[in-house]
Amino acid sequence: MKDGNGRLAASPGPKTLNRRVIKEHILEIVSDSGEGAQKAGQSFGAVSAKMGNGVWTVEIIPADIQPPPRTKESASGIRIRFGSGKITNAGDEADMLVAFNEIVPYTRIDQNAYREGTIVLIESKWGTDESEEIRKSYAAAIQDFKRRAFVVYEIPMEEECLKLTPNPKKGKNMWVLGMLSHIYGRDMEKAAAQIEYIFRSKSRAVVDSNLKLLQAGYEWAREHLDLCYEIPSAEAGEELVVMNGNEALSFGIQAAGIELCSMYPITPATSTSHHLAECIQSSGGIIHQAEDEIAAVGFAIGASYAGKTTVTITSGPGIALKTEFLGLAVMAEVPLVVIDVQRGGPSTGLPTKVEQSDLLAVLYGQPGDSPKVVLAPSTIEECFHFVILARKVAESFRMPVILLTDANLATGVQPFPRPQLREEWLSPPVDQSPWKEGVTAYGWDEKTGLSQRPVPGQTGGEYTLTGLAHSSAAKVTYLPEVNQKTASLRSRKLATFGRTLKPPQIHGDEEGGLLLVGWGSTRGAIEEAVDKAREQGAKVSSIHLRFLSPLEPGLKDIFKRFDKVMTIEINYSDSLEDPMITPDNRRYAQLAWILRAQTLVDVDCFSNVYGQPLRPGKILARIQRELNF
């Protein structure tokens, strides 16, 4: 029962309400850092996925490790978009917000995360706080929320939790999970099982306490709230798994038979190593935490030279530090999988925010010519499978393969069909047979640039590993014709790999007025915007590139069928509306640079660096602007 604009009445009774059936909802939980909003949201998302709903989550992570509480900088939380069908992105404005204080929502308000009618369930304790300043702040925020046409429910979260625990800060999140479980009709057995799972390393007393809080939140919502939604589940038809992108990378590493992961902790890549540390030994591998990024990639290259299958994982600043060693891997033709979970900005930039700004760095970051394969998964499922592909390509072509994900994929949770493990995903055993006499360490095939890979310890397979220009016998050389030839052969491997690729599939008609080109985590938002625009009669289609070096074939032919081609990216580009910017001095988004150079087509771009996932609504607005409808 609510009073006025959602405020609870003093003595409400039990609710017996019919549930409103809806197709999907976007829910946000925002708290001060350390109050567990993300854990509640992750659990809610996992339960929803296990009930058969489509789910996509995005974590809201503060940039500082210990930001001051009750500040915009302290906002920590999660967005969960869930629905009856497949969910491919975080969507536009949220339908419901759970806020642990009145300050933290403002960082999301600044990002236009809410709309008129967004339901706000806010902790009410601040309205009676002993501090007059806090009471005034709370009252002003409530009035402001109502002025913005939010529907406000003031919830005594801490008061209710104190009935079960002396420290509500370590339990309020599970009480909220229980409250949301009633609002959205979540399966309480699945919710309880999720709590058993996430607190599996804690004592039984901790688990039981959180189970009681879960149930209490559910019962309180049942007795007091008039909010009840039903989001029907779809029949999956097959067994699904639920995980985020970094967990998918971890499972992919193990499914690929990679024996060694060497990395240095860096946001947002670090949780991959946390997950690997729990389970890689069970698949026969080890994880090595090096003293820094340079040591990590050096360790991985050394292990690969010795015959192991290796990966190093990092983010943008780590890629910068690994640069020289990556050049060594290219020159020495040492197989290596490099995973770059991109984040925002140059230098240390925006550690907890999303960007797709490392593309040019991984392509051209090394001195000299350094060809390498670059892949970009577009979904959580592809994060798993692309590691397996990257391992195969790296070993088959004796070269580094870089996998570009980003912070959006790293923390995004999505269900996908349980992979059926295959033996051919694993790296073959090290060849211990004697090296064939007369075959050199770099006995390149003149047509493909490929060569066999000797392994130290293999009889006759010893060779000198050097970053200097070398002959086919691995001897250092400065002969001009040898340097020219060996550079050609290293590059030729890219062309050889490119021959195995197929043109990208077009989402929409094969020709039309506007073609959007994306890569990485933006796929779901782009395709949702294209679908909505097409429903309105727009002649727009899209393609999404997974292979960025070499590029997928047929792009120029595809581009010719559209009046205009535009990339959609989360990295910087100049706007022609900016002062001093002209068509001659404009800086383009990173994929646009590459496509313009490769196809000689006048590819335009729409990009920004707000540190947020691209929303389908923003892309739709850009389509409407471009096609004038």
Side-chain angles (χ1 to χ4, degrees), residues 248-295:
L249 291 173
S250 170
F251 282 123
I253 287 168
Q254 295 170 83
I258 291 177
E259 300 165 284
L260 169 74
C261 172
S262 180
M263 68 179 292
Y264 182 75
I266 183 169
T267 304
T270 306
S271 66
T272 309
S273 65
H274 295 166
H275 191 262
L276 276 173
E278 291 184 351
C279 51
I280 193 171
Q281 284 187 319
S282 65
S283 61
I286 62 170
I287 184 165
H288 168 70
Q289 179 175 322
E291 63 266 38
D292 57 36
E293 295 280 3
I294 300 171

Side-chain angles (χ1 to χ4, degrees), residues 435-443 452 460:
W435 188 251
K436 291 181 181 178
E437 189 173 351
V439 177
T440 58
Y442 296 98
Q452 295 183 48

Side-chain angles (χ1 to χ4, degrees), residues 345-367:
S347 188
T348 42
L350 300 169
T352 60
K353 312 299 180 189
V354 65
E355 231 175 81
Q356 296 177 303
S357 53
D358 295 347
L359 177 55
L360 295 179
V362 300
L363 283 173
Y364 307 118
Q366 286 71 51

Side-chain angles (χ1 to χ4, degrees), residues 188-396:
M188 284 296 281
E189 288 190 8
K190 286 184 170 57
Q194 188 66 23
I195 286 180
E196 296 268 3
Y197 174 75
I198 62 177
F199 292 106
R200 61 192 182 282
S201 62
K202 304 291 185 182
S203 68
R204 189 66 227 176
V206 171
V207 175
D208 289 342
S209 174
N210 282 284
L211 287 172
K212 289 178 182 176
L213 287 162
L214 171 78
Q215 189 65 39
Y218 183 94
E219 295 298 336
W220 188 92
R222 186 178 66 83
E223 294 178 6
H224 296 81
L225 292 180
D226 56 1
L227 300 168
C228 287
Y229 299 101
E230 179 181 349
I231 300 179
S233 302
E235 289 292 335
E238 56 188 329
E239 188 179 6
L240 303 178
V241 292
V242 183
M243 64 185 73
N244 65 36
N246 278 358
E247 291 171 332
L249 291 173
S250 170
F251 282 123
I253 287 168
Q254 295 170 83
I258 291 177
E259 300 165 284
L260 169 74
C261 172
S262 180
M263 68 179 292
Y264 182 75
I266 183 169
T267 304
T270 306
S271 66
T272 309
S273 65
H274 295 166
H275 191 262
L276 276 173
E278 291 184 351
C279 51
I280 193 171
Q281 284 187 319
S282 65
S283 61
I286 62 170
I287 184 165
H288 168 70
Q289 179 175 322
E291 63 266 38
D292 57 36
E293 295 280 3
I294 300 171
V297 66
F299 194 96
I301 290 173
S304 179
Y305 172 67
K308 296 295 183 183
T309 54
T310 64
V311 62
T312 185
I313 309 173
T314 189
S315 188
I319 283 289
L321 291 169
K322 294 179 192 295
T323 291
E324 186 172 359
F325 260 130
L326 291 179
L328 170 64
V330 171
M331 177 63 93
E333 303 192 38
V334 175
L336 178 66
V337 176
V338 181
I339 297 175
D340 176 4
V341 186
Q342 300 168 96
R343 68 191 207 187
S347 188
T348 42
L350 300 169
T352 60
K353 312 299 180 189
V354 65
E355 231 175 81
Q356 296 177 303
S357 53
D358 295 347
L359 177 55
L360 295 179
V362 300
L363 283 173
Y364 307 118
Q366 286 71 51
D369 185 62
S370 56
K372 59 189 85 68
V373 171
V374 179
L375 314 176
S378 66
T379 64
I380 307 299
E381 182 178 11
E382 288 183 354
C383 286
F384 173 86
H385 288 286
F386 276 32
V387 179
I388 299 163
L389 174 62
R391 197 279 302 162
K392 285 187 176 180
V393 174
E395 294 181 354
S396 299

Side-chain angles (χ1 to χ4, degrees), residues 47-121:
V47 171
S48 299
K50 290 173 182 176
M51 291 178 65
N53 287 138
V55 174
W56 186 281
T57 71
V58 176
E59 292 185 2
I60 302 161
I61 306 173
D64 297 331
I65 294 175
Q66 288 186 318
R70 289 180 50 79
T71 62
K72 291 166 69 173
E73 292 75 16
S74 181
S76 175
I78 190 167
R79 162 175 284 219
I80 312 111
R81 185 183 184 189
F82 58 113
S84 297
K86 185 176 182 179
I87 302 293
T88 63
N89 63 88
D92 295 304
E93 293 84 6
D95 300 288
M96 183 176 292
L97 162 68
V98 179
F100 283 28
N101 67 54
E102 81 284 3
I103 303 295
V104 289
Y106 279 100
T107 187
R108 303 293 297 154
I109 290 172
D110 292 345
Q111 295 163 5
N112 300 314
Y114 314 122
R115 54 168 171 75
E116 291 184 5
T118 294
I119 298 166
V120 177
L121 307 176

